[in-house]
Amino acid sequence: VEAAAHALPIYNVFREDVPRDWLTAEETLSNAPRQANGLFIVPKVVE
Amino acid sequence: MTEKDLPALSIADLQSLLRRREVSAREVIDALQARIEAVDQDIGAYLSLDMEAAAQEAEQSNVDLPLGGVPLAIKDIINVMGQPCTCASKILNGYRATYDATVISKLRAAGAIPFGKTNLDEFAMGSSTENSAIKLTRNPWDLSRVPGGSSGGSAAAVAADAAFGALGSDTGGSIRQPAALSGVVGFKPTYGRVSRFGLVAFASSLDQIGPLTKTVRDAALMMNAIAGHDPQDSTALNEAVPDYIARLKHDLCGLRLGLPKEYLIEGIDPQVKTAIDAAVKQLNSLGAEIVEVSLPTTEYAIAVYYIVATAEASTNLARFDGVRYGYRAENPKDILDLYGRTRGEGFGQEVKRRIILGTYVLSSGYYDAYYLHAQKVRELIRQDFARAFEKVDALVSPTSPVPAFKLGERVADPLQMYLADIFTIAANLAGICGISVPCGFAEVEGQRLPIGLQLLGKPLDEARILQIAHAYEQSTDWHKARPPVAQKRRKT
């Protein structure tokens, strides 16, 4: 038996790669627990 | 029209009043708000309400649109711009949606007003809504019992006349099972029929959004608005959408309905069995031919589901890391501490159980033994249904083997809870459509508890399933029964 990847036969779905408006940086950051200067703030990850 | 108990109306009846200008969309919002204030302290269906915005939208609504001026409740796992989307989890505490899910844009385009978010099992993982990290929802028919789940808030709101209709999501029965236990109609479309864009993902190959309503006609009305292709969801099928209302007028003559013999298991409540037997007889008397069919792989469905669904959940829920949105643990000492404690503190017990199980079945050395194996059995389950549908137009079964159980009764035993979805789970694995429609009551400890009849249909055969459900519903009075909590406040 072939393993099911999906229940229905859906194969690759392509579209043209065109830019469009989506969330602004401000909207994207609006839910961040910590943010500053247009960036998500996390504990330091490099020494 | 002030005498009329507006919130008790179906969407279709509400619309005819709105269109005849006998009531304004604003009056509808006010009546609904009063109703919610009167009953929701008992029921606990809602997690958040935005009645002010709803009132403003109502003032500007065009009631001649397909759902013009109709307020609808939304399961709190679907993004509605500007409103919280908690998934009933601590980990999304404080999150506000920055965009509308496609179903919400479509409902708005049809004139509907999404005014409030309903309770659920955390991330839709559960069958009683008791896994909500925020609050309990009670069954309007008996406040000591669960409303079912995971779309328990949506089901309870509609049952208690605290919503005209609602959206839910169904990954293993999460629309149909609470609809059955709360005595409303719940419809799970074919996988890909409705866009999942903006639905917080639990198990991406199983999740599907659908309506919970008072009548089958209302479910068809909502399906007309939300079904269809969406370039933002690559699994949304690019197939024409029929008018689901148009088909409702057809009768059942010449249709063949299958009774899966594997579904007549021990453990079905005798009152549920009696109600289903009567419903099958009724369908037969309406002109449908009843034949026995076999779905031999039925017994493996729950095992397969809890491998596939947990595997997908474990990857989907990795996005909750305390960085971009939602809850973050305090004073993390480094980034790994931030991830670890955020998830440890933010996720509830059942969600953690499923993430751990899913991570295990996907881990190197176990992938072939569990996940790959499960996907093969899933294919066999799909083939079982395909073979059955060569012989019949739809399958008939109970939605749930038992009526609503007591709050707390199954919490301690996850396996008992998982068995609540025994009749609904296979449909998600096979990607087919299904509905639960009220078909009677069980008398338990002096209370009437609703029973649901499940009809399952071929992929993209929604119109036929709605047609059969409608014909059955209209030949009975079950959908007209209201729970005690709805009688209580009819003062006017």
Side-chain angles (χ1 to χ4, degrees):
Chain A
V1 189
E2 285 277 303
H6 265 288
L8 300 175
I10 306 171
Y11 301 102
N12 291 336
V13 177
F14 295 110
R15 63 164 169 78
E16 290 304 309
D17 188 14
V18 245
R20 55 160 196 167
D21 288 334
W22 186 229
L23 298 181
T24 62
E26 216 167 71
E27 286 165 340
T28 306
L29 287 163
S30 65
N31 279 301
R34 278 194 68 195
Q35 52 118 342
N37 308 321
L39 301 165
F40 296 105
I41 305 295
V42 294
K44 196 172 164 192
V45 286
V46 286
E47 291 307 314
Chain B
M1 206 48 251
T2 46
E3 302 296 303
K4 189 92 186 176
D5 189 2
L6 278 175
L9 295 176
S10 67
I11 294 174
D13 288 344
L14 175 69
Q15 281 184 308
S16 40
L17 288 187
L18 283 164
R19 287 182 185 152
R20 293 201 306 263
R21 308 300 193 267
E22 287 179 31
V23 66
S24 74
R26 177 58 200 260
E27 287 168 321
V28 172
I29 294 288
D30 293 344
L32 182 63
Q33 182 167 11
R35 174 79 188 133
I36 292 169
E37 280 164 12
V39 295
D40 207 42
Q41 55 204 19
D42 292 340
I43 307 294
Y46 286 98
L47 292 179
S48 60
L49 292 164
D50 195 352
M51 302 312 286
E52 243 171 80
Q56 276 176 17
E57 282 171 51
E59 300 278 4
Q60 290 151 22
S61 69
N62 174 359
V63 297
D64 294 316
L65 288 170
L67 290 171
V70 177
L72 294 173
I74 310 295
K75 186 179 185 180
D76 203 19
I77 194 168
I78 297 170
N79 281 276
V80 179
M81 190 151 79
Q83 294 186 15
C85 188
T86 64
C87 298
S89 179
K90 252 179 85 178
I91 211 158
L92 275 162
N93 194 18
Y95 171 83
R96 272 186 189 270
T98 49
Y99 67 102
D100 274 337
T102 297
V103 284
I104 301 300
S105 320
K106 281 175 177 269
L107 285 178
R108 288 193 203 278
I113 303 170
F115 66 90
K117 309 295 294 286
T118 55
N119 200 14
L120 64 151
D121 288 294
E122 185 177 359
F123 286 103
M125 297 178 184
S127 307
S128 68
T129 313
E130 289 167 294
N131 292 334
S132 168
I134 301 175
K135 68 199 242 188
L136 274 184
T137 298
R138 295 169 183 278
N139 191 311
W141 291 89
D142 177 349
L143 299 178
S144 71
R145 291 177 186 269
V146 304
S150 66
S151 309
S154 288
V158 174
D161 292 340
F164 292 98
L167 283 183
S169 64
D170 191 315
T171 306
S174 278
I175 289 174
R176 290 160 288 157
Q177 186 261 12
L181 269 48
S182 297
V184 299
V185 173
F187 187 66
K188 176 221 169 296
T190 305
Y191 182 78
R193 176 80 291 187
V194 175
S195 168
R196 293 180 296 112
F197 178 76
L199 168 70
V200 179
F202 158 16
S204 306
S205 79
L206 304 165
D207 297 341
Q208 187 64 194
I209 297 172
L212 293 103
T213 53
K214 294 170 189 169
T215 66
V216 176
R217 177 177 296 276
D218 285 359
L221 279 168
M222 284 182 69
M223 279 301 294
N224 273 355
I226 62 172
H229 182 237
D230 176 15
Q232 298 191 110
D233 173 2
S234 63
T235 63
L237 298 169
N238 200 351
E239 305 279 344
V241 180
D243 177 359
Y244 294 113
I245 293 291
R247 185 74 164 270
L248 296 183
K249 57 179 185 284
H250 293 266
D251 65 24
L252 302 190
C253 292
L255 289 182
R256 289 162 70 94
L257 303 181
L259 280 175
K261 63 176 183 205
E262 291 80 4
Y263 281 27
L264 299 168
I265 51 163
E266 279 178 53
I268 297 189
D269 181 285
Q271 297 191 72
V272 170
K273 182 157 189 322
T274 306
I276 299 301
D277 289 345
V280 168
K281 233 180 226 169
Q282 179 74 5
L283 285 162
N284 185 229
S285 76
L286 291 169
E289 187 189 340
I290 312 289
V291 294
E292 191 180 86
V293 294
S294 176
L295 299 169
T297 54
T298 294
E299 61 177 304
Y300 305 110
I302 288 192
V304 169
Y305 177 85
Y306 278 97
I307 290 171
V308 173
T310 57
E312 294 182 13
S314 73
T315 56
N316 273 326
L317 269 58
R319 67 178 53 114
F320 301 101
D321 57 7
V323 173
R324 291 155 300 159
Y325 36 68
Y327 177 78
R328 175 185 288 197
E330 281 186 35
N331 304 318
K333 67 177 186 330
D334 56 31
I335 189 79
L336 289 180
D337 186 42
L338 183 152
Y339 292 152
R341 280 201 295 120
T342 295
R343 291 170 177 155
E345 294 164 19
F347 288 133
Q349 209 184 5
E350 179 62 24
V351 174
K352 284 180 194 163
R353 180 183 292 123
R354 296 199 194 191
I355 291 173
I356 293 167
L357 202 59
T359 307
Y360 178 76
V361 300
L362 288 178
S363 60
S364 145
Y366 294 100
Y367 176 89
D368 286 359
Y370 292 107
Y371 186 73
L372 195 64
H373 212 79
Q375 289 288 48
K376 288 181 180 173
V377 182
R378 181 178 182 180
E379 172 59 19
L380 293 175
I381 290 169
R382 193 193 64 76
Q383 289 175 10
D384 262 8
F385 279 105
R387 263 192 301 275
F389 285 131
E390 283 169 12
K391 284 187 244 160
V392 297
D393 298 294
L395 299 168
V396 185
S397 79
T399 307
S400 161
V402 292
F405 39 93
K406 291 261 189 198
L407 287 160
E409 190 181 310
R410 296 192 176 196
V411 181
D413 185 352
L415 271 181
Q416 268 294 314
M417 194 68 94
Y418 295 173
L419 289 173
D421 294 330
I422 190 158
F423 297 132
T424 49
I425 262 176
N428 299 77
L429 293 167
I432 61 177
C433 61
I435 196 167
S436 180
V437 52
C439 73
F441 290 91
E443 296 273 346
V444 184
E445 295 169 9
Q447 303 279 354
R448 296 205 316 156
L449 303 177
I451 297 169
L453 173 77
Q454 178 175 245
L455 296 161
L456 297 174
K458 292 173 218 184
L460 294 178
D461 212 15
E462 280 80 9
R464 195 191 308 270
I465 291 305
L466 290 164
Q467 170 204 344
I468 299 167
H470 177 75
Y472 170 76
E473 173 197 78
Q474 292 302 307
S475 73
T476 70
D477 280 332
W478 304 120
H479 62 292
K480 294 178 188 158
R482 313 305 317 155
V485 71
Q487 325 278 343
K488 198 174 75 182
R489 67 50 254 209
R490 278 183 190 172
K491 327 178 187 77
T492 42

